């Protein structure tokens, strides 16, 4: 028997090259954040020259009432915007994926338009709507409404992606077994869509948490969030260890949220994405 010789061509993308590329990519992404965290422990007041380690700026944050008030306002806005936008976005996603009606394609397109619209344009338009058309005083209320407006689109996109993979035969099987439409929705559709809804809510919360541009145009007395406070301090005094410490706190808070989202995603993956407990069909 003749031996068959197979020539193996070496790929240009060898594992060691890919690892080197990955290291440089991560350094490019995270080096500024690492520098920010290091300089938040700077003993001197200068934000450019490192003289020694100190926790004084973190201690000052705990006793800074303006920072604490801005953080409380940020949480109020983020939780309110996430709660309302998740409800509206989830219902809209169900309507766009599970029902056929006139103009559905147009509505889906308008969702993507709001995602790609520049934040400056959206901020100016909302400021004009609230102050000139509705004659509302800019403040906490207008900031929450503005955040709801731009968070809804993100929730719709995420929940739609989840529902597009839904198997309608599960609902048909539940109907054959005597389940009412409400029972099929609460016991089958909603549990399977829950990971997408949770992901959309987490995305809306994160986007609302660090928004600056739209909040800048719609804020007023009582509506100063933490990103707006940081932006104002940087404009006034420039970069300083106090601002670096406050920014580090936001980074750590965001990482904590990311960890929670990853834990929920892993839990959902262990439970499976396509299966349903047979007891819900009984």
């Amino acid at each position: 028997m003749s031996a068959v010789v197979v020539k193996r061509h070496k790929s240009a993308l060898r594992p060691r090259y890919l690892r080197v590329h990955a290291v440089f990519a991560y350094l490019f992404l995270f080096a500024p954040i690492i520098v920010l965290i290091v300089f938040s422990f700077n003993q001197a007041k200068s934000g450019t020259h490192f003289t020694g380690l100190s926790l004084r700026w973190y201690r000052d944050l705990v006793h800074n009432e303006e920072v604490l008030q801005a953080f409380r306002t940020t949480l109020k806005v983020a939780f309110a915007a996430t709660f309302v936008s998740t409800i509206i976005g989830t219902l809209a996603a169900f309507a766009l994926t599970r029902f056929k009606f006139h103009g559905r394609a147009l509505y889906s397109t308008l969702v993507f338009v709001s995602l790609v619209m520049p934040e400056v344009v959206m901020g100016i338009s909302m400021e004009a709507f609230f102050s000139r058309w509705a004659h509302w005083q800019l403040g906490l209320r207008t900031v929450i409404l503005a955040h709801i407006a731009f968070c809804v689109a993100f929730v719709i996109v995420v929940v739609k992606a989840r529902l597009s993979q839904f198997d309608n035969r599960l609902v048909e099987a539940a109907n054959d077994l005597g389940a009412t439409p409400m029972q099929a929705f609460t016991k089958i559709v909603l549990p399977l869509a829950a990971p997408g809804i949770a992901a959309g809510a987490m995305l809306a919360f994160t986007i609302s948490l660090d928004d600056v541009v739209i909040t800048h145009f719609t804020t007023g007395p009582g509506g100063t969030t933490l990103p707006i406070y940081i932006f104002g301090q940087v404009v006034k005094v420039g970069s300083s260890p106090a601002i670096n410490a406050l920014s580090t706190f936001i980074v750590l808070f965001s990482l904590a949220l990311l960890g929670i989202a990853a834990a929920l995603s892993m839990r959902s993956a262990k439970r499976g994405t396509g299966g349903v407990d047979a007891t819900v069909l009984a």
Side-chain angles (χ1 to χ4, degrees), residues 20-271:
V20 173
H21 294 164
V23 169
F24 280 107
Y26 282 117
L27 285 177
F28 177 79
L29 292 174
F30 295 105
I33 299 178
I34 295 174
V35 172
L36 172 73
I37 296 175
V38 171
F39 273 87
S40 68
F41 296 97
N42 191 7
Q43 186 177 5
K45 293 183 179 181
S46 173
T48 58
H49 300 285
F50 191 85
T51 59
L53 295 175
S54 176
L55 295 175
R56 58 175 294 192
W57 309 112
Y58 289 94
R59 290 193 295 266
D60 292 343
L61 288 180
V62 179
H63 303 288
N64 192 327
E65 184 58 32
E66 290 185 1
V67 172
L68 296 178
Q69 179 60 38
F71 181 65
R72 287 192 291 265
T73 302
T74 302
L75 292 182
K76 290 179 183 178
V77 173
F79 279 115
T82 301
F83 179 76
V84 178
S85 63
T86 300
I87 294 177
I88 298 176
T90 300
L91 294 177
F94 272 101
L96 293 174
T97 54
R98 300 188 58 81
F99 299 98
K100 294 182 179 181
F101 53 91
H102 183 69
R104 185 177 66 169
L106 176 62
Y107 292 136
S108 298
T109 304
L110 290 177
V111 171
F112 289 100
V113 169
S114 62
L115 290 176
V116 299
M117 182 180 298
E119 288 190 343
V120 173
V121 176
M122 186 176 293
I124 294 174
S125 62
M126 288 185 179
E127 188 273 337
F129 175 81
F130 292 140
S131 62
R132 303 175 190 175
W133 186 83
H135 301 288
W136 289 347
Q137 177 68 35
L138 296 181
L140 182 61
R141 176 178 62 174
T142 55
V143 172
I144 293 176
L145 292 176
H147 281 224
I148 292 173
F150 69 77
C151 285
V152 166
F154 291 95
V155 177
I156 292 176
V157 171
V158 174
V159 178
K160 272 189 65 179
R162 178 69 179 182
L163 292 177
S164 63
Q165 304 174 357
F166 183 77
D167 190 355
N168 289 322
R169 292 176 298 179
L170 296 173
V171 177
E172 296 175 358
N175 294 332
D176 292 339
L177 293 174
T180 63
M182 182 57 66
Q183 289 176 335
F185 175 78
T186 56
K187 293 186 177 181
I188 296 178
V189 179
L190 195 59
L192 290 177
I197 297 173
M202 188 64 67
L203 179 62
F205 186 86
T206 305
I207 293 173
S208 174
L209 192 70
D210 61 1
D211 180 77
V212 175
V213 178
I214 297 178
T215 307
H216 173 74
F217 284 99
T218 58
T219 190
T224 302
T225 60
L226 201 55
I228 293 296
Y229 176 82
I230 294 175
F231 178 77
Q233 292 298 312
V234 171
V235 171
K236 292 179 181 179
V237 300
S239 179
S240 65
I243 299 300
N244 294 338
L246 189 55
S247 302
T248 301
F249 171 76
I250 295 180
V251 171
L252 296 178
F253 190 75
S254 301
L255 289 178
L257 294 178
L258 182 62
I260 295 174
L264 293 176
S265 178
M266 293 178 59
R267 182 180 179 184
S268 174
K270 290 181 180 180
R271 294 175 58 186

Side-chain angles (χ1 to χ4, degrees), residues 8-15 17:
R8 295 183 179 180
H9 298 280
K10 294 183 179 180
S11 175
L13 298 178
R14 297 180 181 180
Y17 294 149

